Amino acid sequence: MRGAVSIWINMMDQRVPRASGLEDVVAALTRLSDVDGEAGRLVIAGYPVESLSGNIRFEEAVFLLRCGRLPTPAEHGEVRAELGRARASASFAPVSLADPMDALRARMAQTEGDDVYGILGAMAVAAAGSTEKPNPNASHAEDYLRLATGRTPSAEQVAALDAYLVAVIDHGMNASTFTARVVASTASDMTSAVVAAIGALKGKLHGGAPGPVLDMLDAIGDAQHAHDWIAASLARGERIMGMGHRIYRTRDPRAFVLERAVGRMAATDRLALARAVEREAEAQLAAKHPDRPLKCNVEFYTAILLEAVGLPRALFTPTFAISRAAGWCAHVEEQRATGKLIRPRSTYVGELAP
Ligand code: COA
């Protein structure tokens, strides 16, 4: 059996085009976000991420994706009220899955329909996995943080989480967004698209936890150990977590806004250590790979920010999901407008039976 599998893999190697990961294939026209990896620029519905994250609330970013413009204060209030009502009315039968992403998927699978605010409200409650009652009058970030941590968050923690939720709300044709669009293209419902996208986001190559970044910082412990720790790690052929990106050849623009958001909180030793480790990693990676820029990606300061707002590591990916779900829903609406089924082809590499 093992022999048969390796023959098949060899055949795949020879006959499947190198672009089998669909690199450089344009799968949709979108007005939702634009990722420019060479320039290191991320535009969300017409605005550079730097001008949105830290300056608007999650509710306003949801409106922006849906309507293509920023809301008036009254419209902002309406979105906040809609999300509050949706959180308050979300309820789930108990699930006994230990992994928080499995639990999020199982809870959302108990819901149905096409109501964007209903889905986003349910996502926050499902991700937090709390038995506390949601507060419909709180902002989405504040209520999620309270449900997820069991503590009333400070204003600066809420502001930092809002900055994060806005920064990661959409990012081109990433794997979970593509998944949502494929499901939407079959004329299925929005909830099904979101549940499928949660499954894609769970994989460690996509939403993969920024937890390893914190593990690395824990292991380094002090900035004066950063040089030797990174040199030893690279000598063992390991990858430095939170560095490098498939698309960006510059520092990830989201790293700037997340670092800025953490910097607006009370100064922490963690942030100082992170900056020192980033500097050291970037310098050593540049020396090792002079032709391949390997710089800080979104995961690096995501880890620092989500830790600073008091979230446990296990909830990092579910927290990513509650924001990105707004992007998924907007992409579902865009995909539906095309009325086109996404249906690529494959190349048969099997034998014909005699
Ligand atoms: N640390 C050390 N070396 C790295 C590296 C890192 N973080 N990222 C890439 N490299 C090296 C690779 O070893 C490879 O070297 P080689 O040519 O000598 O074999 C070279 O850079 C190119 O890497 P490649 O795997 O082709 O790049 P990619 O575009 O497929 O990978 C990532 C992108 C994000 C998967 C990769 O940079 C990585 O693994 N980063 C660490 C994990 C991480 O932070 N993930 C979150 C991403 S948002």
Side-chain angles (χ1 to χ4, degrees), residues 146-176:
R146 184 184 58 83
L147 294 172
T149 64
R151 290 184 298 275
T152 303
S154 67
E156 72 172 10
Q157 287 175 324
V158 174
L161 184 63
D162 258 317
Y164 170 75
L165 296 177
V166 170
V168 302
I169 199 165
D170 199 50
H171 198 245
M173 195 50 59
N174 60 85
S176 58

Coordinates of all heavy atoms in Angstrom, one line a residue, residues 146-176:
R146 N -15.2 40.8 28.0 CA -15.8 40.4 29.3 C -16.2 38.9 29.3 O -15.9 38.2 30.3 CB -16.9 41.3 29.7 CG -17.5 41.1 31.1 CD -18.7 42.0 31.3 NE -19.8 41.7 30.3 CZ -20.7 40.7 30.4 NH1 -20.7 39.9 31.4 NH2 -21.6 40.6 29.4
L147 N -16.9 38.5 28.3 CA -17.4 37.1 28.2 C -16.2 36.1 28.2 O -16.2 35.1 28.8 CB -18.3 36.9 27.0 CG -19.6 37.7 27.0 CD1 -20.3 37.5 25.6 CD2 -20.5 37.2 28.1
A148 N -15.2 36.5 27.4 CA -14.1 35.6 27.2 C -13.1 35.5 28.4 O -12.5 34.5 28.7 CB -13.3 36.0 26.0
T149 N -13.0 36.6 29.2 CA -12.1 36.6 30.3 C -12.7 36.5 31.7 O -12.1 36.2 32.7 CB -11.2 37.9 30.3 OG1 -12.1 39.0 30.5 CG2 -10.4 38.1 29.0
G150 N -14.1 36.8 31.7 CA -14.8 36.8 33.0 C -14.5 38.0 33.8 O -14.8 38.1 35.0
R151 N -13.8 39.0 33.2 CA -13.5 40.3 33.9 C -13.9 41.5 33.1 O -14.0 41.4 31.9 CB -11.9 40.4 34.1 CG -11.3 39.4 35.1 CD -9.8 39.6 35.3 NE -9.1 39.5 34.1 CZ -8.6 38.3 33.6 NH1 -8.8 37.2 34.3 NH2 -7.9 38.3 32.5
T152 N -14.3 42.5 33.8 CA -14.6 43.8 33.1 C -13.4 44.4 32.6 O -12.4 44.7 33.3 CB -15.3 44.8 34.1 OG1 -16.4 44.1 34.7 CG2 -15.7 46.0 33.4
P153 N -13.3 44.5 31.3 CA -12.0 45.1 30.7 C -11.8 46.5 30.9 O -12.8 47.3 31.1 CB -12.2 44.7 29.2 CG -13.6 44.7 28.9 CD -14.3 44.2 30.2
S154 N -10.6 47.0 30.9 CA -10.4 48.5 31.0 C -10.6 49.1 29.6 O -10.7 48.4 28.6 CB -8.9 48.7 31.4 OG -8.1 48.3 30.3
A155 N -10.8 50.4 29.6 CA -11.0 51.1 28.4 C -9.9 50.9 27.4 O -10.0 50.8 26.2 CB -11.3 52.6 28.6
E156 N -8.6 50.9 27.9 CA -7.5 50.7 27.0 C -7.4 49.3 26.4 O -7.0 49.1 25.3 CB -6.2 51.2 27.7 CG -5.6 50.3 28.7 CD -4.2 50.7 29.2 OE1 -3.8 51.8 28.8 OE2 -3.6 50.0 29.9
Q157 N -7.9 48.3 27.2 CA -7.9 47.0 26.7 C -9.0 46.9 25.5 O -8.7 46.3 24.5 CB -8.2 46.0 27.8 CG -7.1 45.7 28.7 CD -7.5 44.8 29.9 OE1 -8.6 44.9 30.4 NE2 -6.5 44.0 30.3
V158 N -10.1 47.5 25.8 CA -11.2 47.5 24.7 C -10.7 48.2 23.5 O -10.9 47.7 22.3 CB -12.5 48.2 25.2 CG1 -13.5 48.3 24.1 CG2 -13.0 47.4 26.4
A159 N -10.0 49.3 23.6 CA -9.5 50.1 22.5 C -8.5 49.2 21.7 O -8.5 49.2 20.5 CB -8.8 51.4 22.9
A160 N -7.6 48.5 22.4 CA -6.6 47.7 21.8 C -7.3 46.5 21.0 O -6.9 46.2 19.9 CB -5.6 47.2 22.8
L161 N -8.3 45.9 21.6 CA -9.0 44.8 20.9 C -9.7 45.4 19.7 O -9.7 44.7 18.7 CB -9.9 44.1 21.9 CG -10.6 42.9 21.2 CD1 -9.5 41.8 20.8 CD2 -11.6 42.2 22.1
D162 N -10.3 46.5 19.8 CA -11.0 47.1 18.7 C -9.9 47.3 17.5 O -10.2 47.0 16.4 CB -11.6 48.5 19.0 CG -13.1 48.4 19.2 OD1 -13.8 47.7 18.4 OD2 -13.6 48.9 20.2
A163 N -8.8 47.8 17.9 CA -7.7 48.0 16.9 C -7.4 46.7 16.2 O -7.2 46.7 14.9 CB -6.5 48.7 17.5
Y164 N -7.3 45.7 17.0 CA -7.0 44.3 16.4 C -8.1 43.9 15.5 O -7.9 43.5 14.3 CB -6.8 43.3 17.5 CG -6.7 41.9 17.0 CD1 -5.6 41.4 16.3 CD2 -7.8 41.0 17.1 CE1 -5.5 40.2 15.8 CE2 -7.7 39.7 16.6 CZ -6.6 39.3 15.9 OH -6.5 38.0 15.4
L165 N -9.4 43.9 16.0 CA -10.5 43.4 15.2 C -10.7 44.2 13.9 O -11.0 43.6 12.8 CB -11.8 43.6 16.0 CG -11.9 42.7 17.3 CD1 -13.2 43.0 18.0 CD2 -11.7 41.2 17.0
V166 N -10.4 45.5 13.9 CA -10.4 46.3 12.6 C -9.3 45.9 11.7 O -9.5 45.7 10.5 CB -10.4 47.8 13.0 CG1 -10.2 48.6 11.7 CG2 -11.7 48.2 13.7
A167 N -8.1 45.7 12.3 CA -6.9 45.4 11.4 C -7.0 44.1 10.7 O -6.5 43.9 9.6 CB -5.6 45.4 12.3
V168 N -7.7 43.1 11.2 CA -7.7 41.7 10.6 C -9.1 41.4 10.0 O -9.3 40.2 9.6 CB -7.3 40.6 11.6 CG1 -5.9 40.9 12.2 CG2 -8.3 40.4 12.7
I169 N -9.9 42.4 9.8 CA -11.3 42.1 9.4 C -11.4 41.5 7.9 O -12.3 40.7 7.6 CB -12.2 43.4 9.5 CG1 -13.6 43.0 9.5 CG2 -11.8 44.4 8.4 CD1 -14.5 44.2 10.0
D170 N -10.4 41.9 7.1 CA -10.4 41.3 5.7 C -9.0 41.3 5.2 O -8.2 42.3 5.6 CB -11.3 42.1 4.8 CG -11.7 41.2 3.6 OD1 -12.1 40.1 3.8 OD2 -11.6 41.7 2.5
H171 N -8.6 40.4 4.4 CA -7.2 40.3 3.9 C -7.2 39.5 2.6 O -6.6 38.4 2.5 CB -6.3 39.7 4.9 CG -4.8 40.0 4.7 ND1 -3.9 39.1 4.3 CD2 -4.2 41.2 4.7 CE1 -2.7 39.6 4.2 NE2 -2.9 40.9 4.4
G172 N -7.8 40.1 1.5 CA -7.7 39.5 0.2 C -8.3 38.1 0.1 O -9.1 37.8 0.9
M173 N -7.8 37.3 -0.8 CA -8.4 36.0 -1.0 C -7.6 34.9 -0.2 O -7.1 34.0 -0.8 CB -8.3 35.7 -2.5 CG -9.2 34.5 -3.0 SD -10.9 34.6 -2.4 CE -11.4 36.2 -3.1
N174 N -7.6 35.1 1.1 CA -7.0 34.1 2.0 C -7.9 32.8 2.0 O -9.0 32.8 1.5 CB -6.9 34.7 3.4 CG -8.2 35.1 3.9 OD1 -8.9 34.3 4.5 ND2 -8.6 36.3 3.7
A175 N -7.3 31.8 2.6 CA -8.0 30.5 2.4 C -9.4 30.4 3.0 O -10.3 29.8 2.4 CB -7.1 29.4 3.1
S176 N -9.6 31.0 4.1 CA -11.0 30.9 4.7 C -12.0 31.8 3.9 O -13.1 31.4 3.8 CB -11.0 31.3 6.2 OG -10.5 32.6 6.4

